[in-house]
Amino acid sequence: MRWPAVFAILAVLAGCGENTASAPFDGLPLDGDFTVGVDAPVHVARDRYGIAHIVAGSLGDAAFVQGYVTAHDRLPQMDVLRRLGAGTLAELYGASDPSVIDLDLEMRLHRMAQRASETLDLLKSPTALPVDREVVQLVERFADGVNAYVADLQRGYWTIDPGLRAGFDPATFRAWSPVDSLVVARFEAFSQSWSAPREIDATELYQKLRATFDGADPGNPAAVARRGISRDLLRLTPVGTASPIAGFPNIAVDSGSRSDGSDPPPQPDAGRRAPHTAAPLGSLGPLAPAPRPTVPQAVLDAARGFFAPPGPGSALAALGPLAFGPPRAGGNAWAVGPARAGDGHALLAADVQLPLTSPAMLYPIHLIVQRAPDDSGAPPPAEPDLDVLGVTLPGIPGVVIGSNRHLAWAATAAGHDVDDVYLEQIAPCPGGGGDCVAWIDPGGTARSVPIETFTEDIQIGALGAITGHTMATYEVVPHHGPIVPAIDRTRHALIPRTAPAALSIRSTGDPPSFELRALYQLARAGDVHAGFAALAGAARGRSWTMIDDRQHIGWTTQAQIPLRPPGAYAWDPLVRQDAQAPFFVLPGDGTGDWIAGATLSPRYIPHAVGPVQGTLITASADPVGATFDGLPLDQATTDGEPLYVGVAYDAGLREDRITQLVGTGGPGTPAMTIDDMARIQRDTRSTVGARLTPAIRAALARLDSPAGTPSDLAPYVAALPAADQARLAAARALLDGWTFATPAAGASDPDSADSAATAVFHTWMHFFIQRTLADELAAVSFDVWRLDDGQLLRVVDALLNDPKSLVTSPATQQPILCDDYAAPGPDVSCTVQILAALVDAMTHLESPRGFGTADPRDWRWGKLHRLAIAPIDAGTGAAFGLPAPGDPDPGGFPRAGDGFTVSRADPGWSDLDFSELAGPVHRLVAEARPGRPITVRWALPGGAIQDRRSPHYRDLLDRFYLTDQLFDAPSSIDDIVAAGESRWVFH
């Protein structure tokens, strides 16, 4: 934000040196005139939404000005993001918050700064692609622009919000480098698909359940009765069963489509039939497949300790390596083609779901590169070289999600399994000189491979002023990857390994990667096919949904998905429970290693172009339905390639709901419009409530069965106090009348009954999970709330809606999980637990921790379910949180919805604080029509400028996000001028 004294300087400069005849934003008030860093005039308009629109004559000049403007708007956030990825946050906050040192220690394991530096060298190498010269120019000139702004800031031409100085000191800002932009891009892609901690957790849980229950001592009848619950608690079957496509593409017939846009090889037959389809994955291995390794508990404990998030008191607790990853990350994206949209239209809607921070995680920007006419007399190009409007992470030049004149695209999490964890057996090397791992190389030779090391110097400081440091040495298995170290969170230091076993991690994203090349090519792509081609070579999968002005719609999850040996896919929850699976820890001896140089062909990676149904709908769920039967490894193989891409998917309810709302069209069905897309995006019907409440109502109905109280209920009902009977009656009245709307309504609102019912249901979920699942998990020392909400929902849904698929009690004929494992006496039925959890919920809601009244008319979901946005910068305190001090409701913005509504407002069930933990950080709807530029509407939970003195600090939050509205993002020069507030000129 500007220093007030600069206004006078700029007023003097306002008429100096500007070629007004060529100024595209002439007529807007001139708010800044700079002679710095560009080869030809560059014009910037700031519109009424705070978006900067940059018009330049060259890519280098556009990148420079984007760097300058982004730094002006978001410099402290840029610093946090690059340091988070590189593992240098402790230089800013380590002296005041030592938990940040632990975060740096974790991030240094991934060596993002080194890999980014290697990427830059490759982009500059003689063997680089022609486009790489432009990518290098992009990152170098962007860095120049950032540093030019910083120099002006340090000289006093600008000032930052004084409150930001508690967490950011411009005087100690380390110059931005091209590597920093590559780090931010690499970190975002890594975080989207980082699955190693989840695989370690799954291994620990399954291993403990198998040992305690499936192999129960006959002398422990309660444990014996629970044999088989390992598959119940690690349930992979989703709740929703909609997927973008039904099965992997190009299996029976090769359509010619490819996830990376590459052209298929010539086929002798016109139908391009797939050569063959062989046996299912699970039957590929020998009759007795190699067993899954047993990981020592101490090794699992050390890994869990290393990957633990920062403490709850840390301002960075919502970030860490999973800042952009599951379980809080997700998203919806769907495209509708002309068959459904009509009139030659193609429509796109998307929202990226992440932890909500202040400032907003994403930053809006518009770049136009238009070459000036040369001296040859040739007419200027009909279109600009580049015209891209969208959002990016501050620090990444160009855009990540956006549109150009012909193509619009959105990216959400894909859930592909591109990481593997290995159990290494370690011993002193035979010839001395350190430790070795035992490994059978691809040729079948048993070897002892020396462990390599690297050392990192963690600088500790206060706002960049270094006060100390700590050295950290990491171990690396050359053919796999880094070994997960142990950490001492008291001393904030790594603990040297002495154990003979450890976990290592390998990822397709380990080598240098080219995220910015893909984004730059995407910005210039003219259609869906070119958009797919732009993503070729992407190492880590994301789900990309696109439309173009040629009426095409497309979706791809292009990634490098490793191929493992057959034995790595042998696990079956029914018949081969101790076999290997890619989502468990694999043996490190080489038998589970990736097949050298082999990745899943882009022919089979989930994707589609212009499907017959005219729609493509994604919501972070299973992309092909491979997990719908709970057997993700029973897919066929084609061309000898195992068809497996992952299991870490959303439970599927949002995808089901969007599919229902979009519909299939048909005779007499109105064509879908861009307003319909936005309406679906705002949908807050509780899909989880609609799925589970009928079973709760059925349990309540059993209380007044005409045949009398059922035997499983009789003891419970007989002992039920009158006050609890009244609570059940009140709950029944609310749930019977619930329409599954989730309004944040108050008592005076006609929707207050729905609001109260929403609160009852979600409070019931907490207590029902605690009553049914926590006891078995406590018996294996596994906190039930380590399971994410999607996994918990899978189990609860099976308990209520598919009980026969679970291990059942002979006494109650209901799932044994509902019985209290630690309590003696007859087995407790699920019906009893449903009612008891309702009593728990009603009692809680009556208490001061709930609503403080027993009258449901005074209950409103919005009192419990609030959005409080935390500042991204440590040290700035509550002043930069939203709501801000002085807001009408400083406790948080009341919110409709829940974690499984289309308009996601995730409250979580782990405690009884139902504050929103994650939600959309960007909403987009776009419309493409032949012969016209693509139009887009947006919403963002904040503002463009990280400065409370600016009118664009939180205007988009207040005007659009909280009111569930979208604004038309200006894209043409005329629209920008019409919506413009001011302009800058760079000479």
Side-chain angles (χ1 to χ4, degrees):
M1 191 64 184
R2 98 177 36 262
W3 182 32
V6 175
F7 280 108
I9 299 172
L10 295 177
V12 175
L13 296 176
C16 299
E18 182 184 4
N19 181 355
T20 55
S22 63
F25 306 125
D26 194 27
L28 295 179
L30 184 63
D31 197 28
D33 195 321
F34 311 96
T35 303
V36 57
V38 295
D39 296 326
V42 177
H43 303 273
V44 183
R46 180 84 69 177
D47 66 28
R48 67 170 67 102
Y49 310 111
I51 304 168
H53 304 263
I54 299 169
V55 178
S58 68
L59 176 66
D61 283 354
F64 177 92
V65 174
Q66 184 184 3
Y68 193 100
V69 172
T70 306
H72 169 275
D73 292 354
R74 298 284 188 93
L75 186 65
Q77 183 185 20
M78 293 170 64
D79 201 24
V80 167
L81 287 173
R82 67 166 171 176
R83 290 180 178 278
L84 179 59
T88 59
L89 266 176
E91 295 179 12
L92 294 183
Y93 311 127
S96 59
D97 183 0
S99 72
V100 178
I101 303 170
D102 302 336
L103 189 57
D104 278 1
L105 288 168
E106 181 176 353
M107 292 308 304
R108 294 292 180 96
L109 181 76
H110 307 292
R111 310 187 79 182
M112 292 203 183
Q114 178 174 330
R115 297 292 180 259
S117 180
E118 294 167 358
T119 298
L120 186 61
D121 290 341
L122 290 172
L123 290 169
K124 293 180 175 180
S125 71
T127 59
L129 299 177
V131 70
D132 290 343
R133 289 191 294 271
E134 295 177 74
V135 176
V136 170
Q137 184 185 33
L138 190 69
V139 294
E140 288 183 340
R141 295 290 286 140
F142 181 89
D144 291 342
V146 173
N147 294 327
Y149 169 78
V150 172
D152 287 348
L153 176 65
Q154 291 171 339
R155 285 197 294 264
Y157 294 150
W158 302 102
T159 64
I160 63 171
D161 184 327
L164 288 172
R165 289 187 173 273
F168 176 77
D169 183 0
T172 59
F173 181 85
R174 174 174 53 81
W176 193 270
S177 76
V179 169
D180 291 324
S181 291
L182 295 171
V183 164
V184 176
R186 183 180 178 88
F187 171 61
E188 190 266 347
F190 156 85
S191 181
Q192 283 271 309
S193 60
W194 174 233
S195 65
R198 184 171 56 250
E199 293 178 6
I200 293 169
D201 275 357
T203 299
E204 179 183 0
L205 175 59
Y206 196 63
Q207 186 171 289
K208 286 179 169 180
L209 292 170
R210 290 281 294 149
T212 301
F213 297 113
D214 294 1
D217 184 335
N220 183 348
V224 170
R226 285 163 171 76
R227 286 177 177 170
I229 66 166
S230 56
R231 65 176 177 269
D232 295 351
L233 287 167
L234 205 71
R235 189 176 178 88
L236 299 178
T237 308
V239 180
T241 55
S243 59
I245 55 177
F248 285 87
N250 299 318
I251 300 300
V253 175
D254 184 357
S255 70
S257 68
R258 298 293 183 267
S259 66
D260 63 356
S262 59
D263 293 324
Q267 298 287 335
D269 59 318
R272 291 202 284 257
R273 293 198 171 273
H276 69 275
T277 298
L281 277 176
S283 64
L284 282 176
L287 292 178
R292 188 175 61 257
T294 299
V295 185
Q297 187 60 45
V299 172
L300 294 167
D301 290 342
R304 185 173 69 253
F306 182 74
F307 289 128
S314 171
L316 301 169
L319 298 177
L322 292 176
F324 305 100
R328 296 301 169 202
N332 308 316
W334 67 97
V336 176
R340 183 71 183 85
D343 195 23
H345 293 200
L347 302 172
L348 172 67
D351 53 89
V352 181
Q353 299 159 3
L354 295 171
L356 294 156
T357 62
S358 176
M361 196 75 82
L362 300 177
Y363 172 74
I365 195 72
H366 185 193
L367 301 176
I368 300 175
V369 178
Q370 176 73 69
R371 292 196 310 271
D374 55 29
D375 296 334
S376 67
E383 290 190 357
D385 294 346
L386 181 71
D387 186 349
V388 59
L389 169 68
V391 293
T392 186
L393 272 178
I396 297 179
V399 305
V400 175
I401 296 169
S403 61
N404 54 38
R405 295 189 174 202
H406 305 288
L407 179 74
W409 64 93
T412 57
H416 287 343
D417 187 352
V418 295
D419 304 319
D420 276 347
V421 184
Y422 300 95
L423 178 63
E424 307 287 355
Q425 301 299 331
I426 304 172
C429 295
D435 285 344
C436 285
V437 296
W439 186 55
I440 302 171
D441 68 21
T445 302
R447 296 174 51 196
S448 291
V449 181
I451 293 174
E452 300 173 354
T453 63
F454 65 91
T455 300
E456 297 283 320
D457 186 357
I458 310 292
Q459 301 286 310
I460 303 167
L463 306 187
I466 304 305
T467 59
H469 74 110
T470 185
M471 306 299 292
T473 297
Y474 299 81
E475 297 180 302
V476 178
V477 176
H479 47 277
H480 288 156
I483 287 176
V484 181
I487 189 171
D488 184 331
R489 291 188 177 270
T490 302
R491 296 189 303 109
H492 308 291
L494 298 186
I495 301 171
R497 180 199 52 78
T498 57
L503 299 178
S504 67
I505 300 172
R506 187 178 186 185
S507 170
T508 59
D510 285 342
S513 51
F514 300 94
E515 294 83 9
L516 281 184
R517 176 200 289 163
L519 293 176
Y520 177 61
Q521 292 184 131
L522 194 55
R524 301 188 306 164
D527 57 26
V528 165
H529 183 83
F532 279 29
L535 301 171
R540 293 182 172 274
R542 279 183 283 185
S543 180
W544 299 87
T545 308
M546 308 177 190
I547 61 172
D548 65 32
D549 61 357
R550 301 179 188 180
Q551 305 176 47
H552 300 136
I553 65 175
W555 158 75
T556 183
T557 61
Q558 167 59 25
Q560 295 174 19
I561 299 174
L563 299 184
R564 296 104 171 162
Y569 304 97
W571 177 81
D572 185 298
L574 299 174
V575 296
R576 285 190 296 276
Q577 297 94 337
D578 292 322
Q580 298 174 24
F583 43 84
F584 292 132
V585 172
L586 293 168
D589 61 5
T591 58
D593 280 13
W594 299 352
I595 299 172
T599 57
L600 186 63
S601 166
R603 168 179 172 173
Y604 307 122
I605 291 172
H607 69 278
V609 179
V612 173
Q613 73 269 27
T615 61
L616 283 166
I617 298 170
T618 74
S620 303
D622 186 332
V624 294
T627 62
F628 287 179
D629 61 357
L631 303 171
L633 303 182
D634 69 346
Q635 305 303 299
T637 64
T638 301
D639 300 345
E641 297 188 20
L643 296 180
Y644 164 81
V645 292
V647 296
Y649 304 124
D650 184 85
L653 288 178
R654 284 184 290 117
E655 194 150 322
D656 272 7
R657 176 65 174 164
I658 296 169
T659 301
Q660 174 194 0
L661 293 173
V662 170
T664 58
T669 304
M672 180 157 284
T673 68
I674 194 170
D675 291 329
D676 294 328
M677 301 286 273
R679 174 181 49 79
I680 294 172
Q681 212 171 47
R682 297 192 301 268
D683 185 71
T684 56
R685 184 179 192 266
S686 179
T687 57
V688 64
R691 177 79 181 188
L692 301 182
T693 300
I696 304 175
R697 291 169 176 166
L700 287 162
R702 295 187 72 201
L703 289 172
D704 50 14
S705 170
T709 305
S711 59
D712 66 306
L713 282 181
Y716 174 75
V717 172
L720 198 64
D724 288 346
Q725 294 179 31
R727 290 184 175 102
L728 287 177
R732 185 174 184 176
L734 288 170
L735 294 177
D736 280 351
W738 190 20
T739 68
F740 308 118
T742 59
S748 61
D749 193 294
D751 294 328
S752 60
D754 274 336
S755 187
T758 305
V760 171
F761 172 78
H762 285 283
T763 309
W764 172 85
M765 276 292 286
H766 170 84
F767 286 110
F768 185 72
I769 291 166
Q770 194 73 42
R771 281 182 166 273
T772 56
L773 309 183
D775 52 340
E776 283 85 2
L777 292 177
V780 297
S781 301
F782 197 98
D783 184 356
V784 65
W785 303 115
R786 283 174 63 186
L787 300 177
D788 65 56
D789 290 347
Q791 184 61 26
L792 291 169
L793 173 58
R794 284 171 166 84
V795 181
V796 171
D797 181 70
L799 288 172
L800 301 188
N801 293 322
D802 191 14
K804 296 305 180 185
S805 70
L806 306 179
V807 177
T808 57
S809 161
T812 67
Q813 299 301 308
Q814 295 185 30
I816 192 68
L817 286 173
C818 288
D819 179 44
D820 188 343
Y821 176 63
D827 289 352
V828 179
S829 70
C830 293
T831 307
V832 168
Q833 297 290 30
I834 290 171
L835 301 178
L838 268 179
V839 171
D840 293 340
M842 299 296 285
T843 303
H844 171 79
L845 293 173
E846 294 171 7
S847 74
R849 289 190 60 205
F851 296 112
T853 175
D855 188 350
R857 292 175 298 178
D858 293 332
W859 295 1
R860 55 188 176 95
W861 178 228
K863 181 178 178 181
L864 305 179
H865 188 225
R866 296 171 175 270
L867 172 60
I869 303 176
I872 196 171
D873 306 312
T876 56
F880 285 85
L882 295 170
D887 274 8
D889 203 344
F893 304 108
R895 299 289 285 162
D898 60 36
F900 297 90
T901 50
V902 174
S903 179
R904 183 182 176 194
D906 195 349
W909 293 313
S910 62
D911 55 28
L912 294 165
D913 177 0
F914 292 110
S915 300
E916 182 176 342
L917 301 173
V921 298
H922 174 238
R923 280 185 171 146
L924 157 75
V925 294
E927 182 175 27
R929 292 173 287 179
R932 302 186 188 183
I934 288 177
T935 57
V936 297
R937 299 177 188 172
W938 289 350
L940 289 147
I945 299 178
Q946 189 179 3
D947 192 314
R948 294 170 299 174
R949 299 171 297 180
S950 167
H952 301 302
Y953 170 62
R954 54 178 285 180
D955 54 332
L956 300 182
L957 173 77
D958 294 330
R959 293 174 57 193
F960 302 103
Y961 192 86
L962 294 177
T963 58
D964 284 324
Q965 301 298 313
L966 302 171
F967 64 88
D968 294 301
S971 58
S972 70
I973 296 297
D974 288 345
D975 288 345
I976 294 165
V977 170
E981 286 185 343
S982 62
R983 62 188 172 111
W984 287 359
V985 180
F986 289 78
H987 297 285

